[in-house]
Amino acid sequence: MTTLVVGANGNIGKIFCRLAAERKLPVRALLRNPEQQAYFDSIGVETALGDLEGAFEASMEDCDRVVFTAGSGGKTGGDKTLLVDLYGAIRVIEASEARGIEHIVMVSAMGVDDPLAGRPAMQHYFVAKKLADQRLRESSVAHTILRPGLLTDEPASGNVRTDLAAGSGHSISRENVALCILASLDHLQSRGQTIDLLDGDMPIATLFE
Ligand SMILES: NC(=O)c1ccc[n+]([C@@H]2O[C@H](COP(=O)([O-])OP(=O)(O)OC[C@H]3O[C@@H](n4cnc5c(N)ncnc54)[C@H](OP(=O)(O)O)[C@@H]3O)[C@@H](O)[C@H]2O)c1
């Protein structure tokens, strides 16, 4: 059995796949384009081709867990937010239910519970993420929802904070998020939890203790 990584070629996805390979955790990277395969070959990670705006279900064969860290990104329009961040996530959740996937770790975003409180340009994105998270909570699949703040490319400190009020700063290293995904997969206690994530001083190893 293996873990399907949806959004594997993204910033978090690539780091997560590398860390998983270093730990000998079997993962399969879902890619949109065969030209993206070389990196995953170089780190010894299996790949499958598929697209959230088309067919991807075959990539789930023999998978028991899913990490969802796909996103349409800031350079596309609201149409892609709808098709990828919302409907793509819902389709992955529904396919996971149909295939009896055991656990989904969803990379959501901080602040999505109250979309209208966000910057106007971000509100539709927060709505998409909020509704995808809601669909996941209503699903039959065990899940962990991680809600990072502003993502940075700093190296992992290995420490995070989950209480927004307990400090200043609104960002988190993508590598720290990848370590939190690994911790979520490792710990049964992570299931059913929705967790805000910022860089902080709590060791990620203790996140689910
Ligand atoms: N940026 C922030 O500050 C921030 C804050 C909180 C949460 N988040 C969330 O964090 C997550 C990951 O962030 P990131 O920086 O790693 O994102 P990223 O680098 O933009 O990666 C997104 C990945 O999603 C994939 N994708 C897009 N459309 C797809 C489709 N139709 N089918 C399959 N895959 C598709 C992309 O594929 P290609 O490589 O083929 O383009 C890419 O690999 C996203 O869900 C984002 O919303 C971001």
Side-chain angles (χ1 to χ4, degrees), residues 25 35 47 86 124 142-143 165 194:
L25 177 74
E35 288 169 11
T47 59
L86 176 57
H124 65 294
H143 53 269
T194 296

Side-chain angles (χ1 to χ4, degrees), residues 38-68:
Y39 170 77
F40 297 91
D41 291 345
S42 76
I43 59 170
V45 164
E46 183 191 355
T47 59
L49 290 175
D51 192 325
L52 295 178
E53 295 177 68
F56 64 86
E57 291 83 350
S59 67
M60 298 178 109
E61 189 72 31
D62 298 326
C63 290
D64 56 351
R65 304 190 291 187
V66 171
V67 169
F68 188 100

Side-chain angles (χ1 to χ4, degrees), residues 75-157:
K75 293 184 180 145
T76 58
D79 54 341
K80 297 296 181 189
T81 308
L82 199 60
L83 286 166
V84 176
D85 302 74
L86 176 57
Y87 194 51
I90 289 175
R91 290 181 66 221
V92 168
I93 294 163
E94 289 178 347
S96 299
E97 285 182 309
R99 286 175 180 262
I101 292 289
E102 198 181 291
H103 187 194
I104 297 178
V105 179
M106 171 66 73
V107 178
S108 177
M110 188 170 291
V112 306
D113 275 335
D114 190 3
L116 300 184
R119 284 191 290 124
M122 296 295 289
Q123 291 177 357
H124 65 294
Y125 165 76
F126 287 142
V127 170
K129 292 298 240 184
K130 176 186 168 101
L131 295 181
D133 290 357
Q134 199 168 304
R135 177 64 184 87
L136 183 54
R137 286 203 196 88
E138 290 164 359
S139 79
S140 57
V141 186
H143 53 269
T144 310
I145 299 174
L146 302 178
R147 290 181 162 176
L150 184 67
L151 298 172
T152 73
D153 292 322
E154 295 299 311
S157 62

Side-chain angles (χ1 to χ4, degrees), residues 11-16 18-19 22-23 151-160 172-182 199 204:
N11 292 295
I12 291 177
K14 277 184 162 170
I15 299 168
F16 171 77
R18 174 177 53 78
L19 295 175
E22 287 168 7
R23 286 160 177 73
L151 298 172
T152 73
D153 292 322
E154 295 299 311
S157 62
N159 299 309
V160 295
I172 180 165
S173 131
R174 288 182 167 92
E175 195 170 2
N176 271 342
V177 176
L179 288 170
C180 291
I181 298 171
L182 281 169
D199 286 329
I204 291 170

